[in-house]
Amino acid sequence: GAVVSQHPSRVICKSGTSVKIECRSLDFQATTMFWYRQFPKQSLMLMATSNEGSKATYEQGVEKDKFLINHASLTLSTLTVTSAHPEDSSFYICSARDEEVGYTGELFFGEGSRLTVL
Amino acid sequence: AQSVAQPEDQVNVAEGNPLTVKCTYSVSGNPYLFWYVQYPNRGLQFLLKYITGDNLVKGSYGFEAEFNKSQTSFHLKKPSALVSDSALYFCAVRDIGSNTDKLIFGTGTRLQVFP
């Protein structure tokens, strides 16, 4: 199956700094990628839909200035957590769909990035 | 609004016994339904999906799921559980009537298979 690579897998940062997480589709093109956040022992919460070449679509309640998303190419989307605070500590997961498979295709997920803000 | 419900937080089963992880859905149109598995500190792995056609869907690792429109359910099953099946399982739905790519997840069910 298609592979989605996410980096870094773990990051620890000081409060107030910004952290960038990358999501790459390795063997397919992805016009659309999705960013999820997962709290401990909870489900995945969709944060935003990343659209190649245009602005991301954020879910209700997600601060777009806090979580900056850039989708500059068909294989790369980045999530930047700006001025991170301890409450931003979480497991962030990206996903993408193989455009060639079409709308019925399943999403492929990255391995996730665990962010810890001190 | 589209949603899925996983009524059980945890399911315990002995190795070799059959397992069932429950999922019910609610959509305005026809659903695309998915099951994913997550191991600790990992991303999600696709198990199987229902788009159309045969109500019994077979997927990875010996798992299968049955789409039941009248009961709006899509329960995940396996005839004989393995200890290595212990993980967190998510049901998800995409509402094709909403013309969106969004995948909405259930709250997850932790499967524990005991030796």
Side-chain angles (χ1 to χ4, degrees), chain A residues 40-56:
Chain A
K41 299 184 178 180
Q42 293 191 27
S43 186
L44 284 76
M45 180 191 76
L46 179 63
M47 298 174 64
T49 302
S50 172
N51 305 298
E52 188 267 334
S54 64
K55 293 182 179 180

Side-chain angles (χ1 to χ4, degrees), chain B residues 9 17 19 53 77 100:
Chain B
D9 290 337
N17 283 1
L19 69 87
K77 299 181 179 183
T100 176

Side-chain angles (χ1 to χ4, degrees), chain A:
Chain A
V3 178
V4 174
S5 174
Q6 195 171 334
H7 178 81
S9 59
R10 293 177 180 269
V11 57
I12 301 173
C13 70
K14 294 182 179 180
S15 184
T17 60
S18 295
V19 174
K20 180 184 286 188
I21 301 170
E22 292 186 347
C23 179
R24 294 180 185 273
S25 56
L26 295 187
D27 49 2
F28 65 99
Q29 294 185 333
T31 305
T32 306
M33 292 184 177
F34 303 89
W35 287 96
Y36 289 85
R37 181 174 179 177
Q38 186 178 31
F39 293 97
K41 299 184 178 180
Q42 293 191 27
S43 186
L44 284 76
M45 180 191 76
L46 179 63
M47 298 174 64
T49 302
S50 172
N51 305 298
E52 188 267 334
S54 64
K55 293 182 179 180
T57 304
Y58 289 83
E59 294 300 301
Q60 190 172 6
V62 178
E63 299 175 61
K64 62 180 180 181
D65 294 330
K66 174 74 170 176
F67 299 99
L68 298 179
I69 291 174
N70 183 275
H71 195 152
S73 77
L74 287 172
T75 58
L76 174 64
S77 174
T78 60
L79 168 68
T80 301
V81 183
T82 62
S83 186
H85 291 283
E87 57 266 29
D88 299 324
S89 298
S90 192
F91 194 54
Y92 294 88
I93 309 176
C94 71
S95 67
R97 179 172 54 83
D98 188 340
E99 302 294 333
E100 291 190 0
V101 176
Y103 191 68
T104 61
E106 63 271 22
L107 292 181
F108 296 96
F109 285 79
E111 289 294 294
S113 299
R114 183 162 300 284
L115 170 63
T116 302
V117 185
L118 303 176

